[in-house]
Amino acid sequence: FFMQDHHCIWINNCVGHENYKIFLVFVLYAATASIYSMALIIGGAVHSAPKDEQSGIDSPRKSIIICGVILCPMALSLATLLVWHVYLVFHNKTTIEYHEGVRAMWLAEKAGGLYHHPYDLGVYHNIVSVLGPNMLCWLCPVSRNIGNGVRFRTSYDIPLSTPPPKAEKHLAMS
């Protein structure tokens, strides 16, 4: 049984509970590599400008510019995809839940209510629910999923805080 969020054209696979962390780490590394490559290409173009006196077809500067033109939209789209999924992780939402939440928020406001996403556990717990409890493994493309992918912890499952012990002692004395 596999809970799916969406089909990703980047990896030609469905992304869901079992492989979301791997997908997220893949996008992180791909965005980092493309931005780093853009920096190298820009540096190469700037550095080769004074030396490039050839104007022929085999000019290294033309190759650098062509690579930059191809890489720029790819780096921009990967960076945008990464920022989008980091936002989703911080709010513990899937892509589908985000779009359904927009509608739920609109309906709640229309009825005079307030919508709260039930799976939002706070930023740290949201990150842990996707990347795992061990911070040293967060950037490793391995998945040790918490749960079975069918039932997830909600903000309603978090126990209410109890009063501090001193307050209980004070209440018992009066």
Side-chain angles (χ1 to χ4, degrees):
F1 187 66
F2 179 72
M3 294 301 288
Q4 163 189 321
D5 175 33
H6 67 282
H7 184 81
C8 177
I9 60 171
W10 291 88
I11 60 174
N12 193 27
N13 198 359
C14 291
V15 177
H17 177 70
E18 296 291 325
N19 62 353
Y20 185 68
K21 176 190 174 186
I22 296 166
F23 168 76
L24 186 66
V25 171
F26 165 72
V27 172
L28 170 70
Y29 289 149
T32 303
S34 63
I35 291 168
Y36 180 69
S37 298
M38 279 300 299
L40 291 176
I41 285 175
I42 290 169
V46 169
H47 182 69
S48 71
K51 297 177 184 176
D52 191 18
E53 295 178 7
Q54 294 177 332
S55 60
I57 293 175
D58 295 335
S59 171
R61 185 168 171 83
K62 286 182 184 177
S63 298
I64 291 171
I65 291 172
I66 290 170
C67 287
V69 166
I70 293 170
L71 189 58
C72 185
M74 188 171 84
L76 183 62
S77 62
L78 280 169
T80 303
L81 184 65
L82 177 64
V83 168
W84 168 246
H85 279 281
V86 167
Y87 168 82
L88 290 176
V89 167
F90 282 1
H91 295 279
N92 209 12
K93 293 181 181 183
T94 63
T95 308
I96 293 171
E97 287 173 337
Y98 171 80
H99 291 293
E100 288 176 353
V102 168
R103 178 169 165 71
M105 194 178 311
W106 177 76
L107 289 172
E109 287 177 2
K110 187 177 175 182
L114 185 65
Y115 173 75
H116 172 71
H117 182 62
Y119 299 102
D120 190 355
L121 307 173
V123 174
Y124 176 75
H125 290 290
N126 293 343
I127 292 170
V128 167
S129 70
V130 173
L131 301 179
N134 187 352
M135 289 175 77
L136 298 175
C137 296
W138 281 3
L139 299 179
C140 298
V142 294
S143 185
R144 298 235 185 338
N145 297 321
I146 299 171
N148 59 9
V150 177
R151 167 90 172 98
F152 297 95
R153 204 170 116 202
T154 67
S155 57
Y156 307 116
D157 297 334
I158 298 173
L160 297 173
S161 60
T162 57
K166 288 182 180 181
E168 288 177 5
K169 191 181 259 187
H170 176 68
L171 291 174
M173 288 183 189
S174 34

